[in-house]
Amino acid sequence: MITLEGVTKRYGDGTVAVDGLSFEAPEGKITVLVGPSGCGKTTSLRMINRMIEPTEGKILIDGQDTSSLAKAELRRGIGYVIQHAGLFPHRTVLSNVMTVPSLLKWDKSRAKDRAMEVLELVGLGGDFAKRYPGQLSGGQQQRVGVARALAGDPKVMLMDEPFSAIDPVVREGLQDEFLSLQESLGTTIVLVTHDIDEAIKLGDRIAVLRVGGSLAQFSSPDDLLAHPADDFVASFVGRDRGYRALSFKHADVPIHEETPTVLGETIADGDPWRLVVGDHAQPLGWVEVADVTGPVQAADLQLGGTLVDVGGSLRGFLDASLSSPSGRGVVVQDGRLYGSVRSEEVLQVIKAAPRPSGETSFTAEDSA
Ligand code: ADP
Ligand code: MG
């Protein structure tokens, strides 16, 4: 676990890049720092491995204050990946990946074995080791960057916009691979991006920063979407910006059965919310059971909440579930109640959404 406690960075010229930042990045999970350009993401990340020293506050890794460790010792346990991979152009892929084990003073054959192993892990086995960075696509170079960071078997990985410079079609495949790799390795990751879609797809926890380097919200992805803390977060996660892409994706979202009620009925069971439908099974609104005494009346209805057609887009499912007072998005078919969906489950599907057709498979070459 990585803990930031009131971390502030003031640069020499007086710029406050990070302002009193506190959060916990849980063990074995992906924590994403997201926010507009200049909001202090890179500065925050680099304070974790002390490439930049905080002006105030503390950073702890597994409870240990990082300022009490020698920098070299600290960095030995931390992998670092940057946007353009930062490979040495005149060294082979193998030699690039061996940089880290060599720094760790592993003997040569062990370093080489490890390098081959991690290259295999990122889908660049076999012949790739002998190539030079210039002979690889951007996506492949980025995989080499990840392999190099993994080579020292770090407990913690810091990643600064690792996928931002990659072609959008290839990016999605890389993100999917990255997620399954992370799941199998259980590395604690702090990842920086300016892209809210990426944050939602990759993050177990998301820290939204605003310019000036203060924390606007720290939440799980579904909580962030359902309950943005303020207008800034709401506009940052705004549906038109972030979720436009979802309009084009279809996938199977679990649809639950809803037992509706009708006006004039007295509700007996313990479900805290009941959906009220009209004569043609058309949804009319929700009632909060605890608020209703006696037969349900039109005045008890909580309106609001968009409906989604059973053949609708993921975005439609998400909007319906997030906008519903009960947290259950209402699904209709030809205007009649069909069932309901849960935002957590819609988000799970979004995270696992299939790539656009024609996309490369796990280990195929992304020579875009
Ligand atoms: P982000 O990665 O979110 O784009 P940065 O952490 O790079 O943001 O920068 C945060 C703020 O600090 C910006 O206003 C930037 O101009 C400023 N900044 C970054 N590095 C320095 C520096 N070495 N000296 C002065 N200001 C800096
Ligand atoms: Mg940056």
Side-chain angles (χ1 to χ4, degrees):
M1 184 169 74
I2 304 170
T3 313
L4 277 74
E5 290 179 5
V7 174
T8 292
K9 177 63 190 182
R10 251 186 305 275
Y11 283 111
D13 62 0
T15 308
V16 178
V18 177
D19 190 6
L21 188 60
S22 300
F23 65 81
E24 278 183 0
E27 186 81 30
K29 302 280 184 202
I30 303 175
T31 299
V32 177
L33 308 184
V34 67
S37 176
C39 70
K41 303 182 295 292
T42 294
T43 303
S44 301
L45 198 69
R46 289 174 162 221
M47 287 194 285
I48 296 173
N49 65 0
R50 290 179 60 201
M51 290 166 78
I52 296 173
E53 296 285 356
T55 317
E56 282 166 31
K58 263 197 217 173
I59 299 178
L60 308 136
I61 297 183
D62 294 336
Q64 185 162 36
D65 190 336
T66 52
S67 68
S68 69
L69 297 170
K71 281 185 195 173
E73 189 190 341
L74 172 69
R75 286 183 203 155
R76 221 171 280 151
I78 302 181
Y80 185 54
V81 179
I82 56 173
Q83 188 172 70
H84 289 284
L87 304 177
F88 299 112
H90 303 299
R91 293 197 197 160
T92 62
V93 165
L94 179 66
S95 158
N96 266 285
V97 177
M98 281 174 64
T99 324
V100 168
S102 305
L103 280 176
L104 297 177
K105 307 220 168 15
W106 293 9
D107 75 57
K108 219 166 165 197
S109 76
R110 181 173 167 221
K112 185 179 171 194
D113 288 349
R114 177 63 183 162
M116 295 304 281
E117 186 181 292
V118 287
L119 279 169
E120 190 87 36
L121 269 182
V122 299
L124 295 177
D127 194 39
F128 280 102
K130 290 185 235 149
R131 298 203 201 168
Y132 287 87
Q135 299 172 305
L136 304 180
S137 71
Q140 289 166 339
Q141 291 184 28
Q142 205 56 18
R143 291 165 192 236
V144 177
V146 172
R148 181 176 57 184
L150 286 174
D153 202 12
K155 287 192 60 187
V156 169
M157 284 249 273
L158 307 177
M159 308 180 84
D160 195 346
E161 307 259 7
F163 306 119
S164 298
I166 311 284
D167 175 86
V169 177
V170 175
R171 186 190 306 152
E172 233 187 298
L174 274 183
Q175 290 169 336
D176 290 340
E177 289 176 28
F178 168 71
L179 278 174
S180 51
L181 188 62
Q182 196 276 336
E183 205 169 313
S184 65
L185 298 177
T187 315
T188 303
I189 290 175
V190 182
L191 183 147
V192 160
T193 179
H194 62 272
D195 175 356
I196 186 69
D197 285 349
E198 182 165 272
I200 290 185
K201 173 157 184 162
L202 300 181
D204 296 296
R205 288 285 177 281
I206 300 175
V208 183
L209 302 181
R210 60 176 106 240
V211 174
S214 63
L215 186 64
Q217 188 164 359
F218 187 73
S219 285
S220 61
D222 46 344
D223 189 48
L224 192 71
L225 288 166
H227 308 290
D230 58 22
D231 288 348
F232 167 75
V233 178
S235 71
F236 194 70
V237 302
R239 290 158 199 191
D240 284 339
R241 288 195 50 180
Y243 271 76
R244 195 182 294 142
L246 295 180
S247 308
F248 304 106
K249 287 183 189 162
H250 296 261
D252 287 326
V253 175
I255 298 178
H256 301 268
E257 197 177 321
E258 272 297 331
T259 310
T261 187
V262 295
L263 291 174
E265 205 165 70
T266 303
I267 303 168
D269 70 30
D271 188 347
W273 288 91
R274 286 292 284 272
L275 185 71
V276 181
V277 298
D279 293 344
H280 305 288
Q282 76 276 27
L284 298 177
W286 290 94
V287 289
E288 195 164 10
V289 173
D291 289 351
V292 181
T293 46
V296 177
Q297 296 168 27
D300 298 322
L301 291 180
Q302 296 197 25
L303 306 171
T306 54
L307 306 177
V308 62
D309 190 82
V310 66
S313 65
L314 275 179
R315 159 140 180 228
F317 282 106
L318 187 66
D319 280 350
S321 57
L322 293 177
S323 62
S324 166
S326 69
R328 314 205 294 255
V330 180
V331 184
V332 293
Q333 189 170 40
D334 303 322
R336 303 164 79 92
L337 174 64
Y338 186 87
S340 65
V341 292
R342 311 281 186 274
S343 59
E344 319 83 70
E345 292 176 347
V346 180
L347 274 161
Q348 263 170 24
V349 173
I350 289 169
K351 282 176 176 259
R355 306 163 204 172
S357 57
E359 172 58 20
T360 55
S361 66
F362 185 77
T363 52
E365 295 182 33
D366 43 288
S367 48

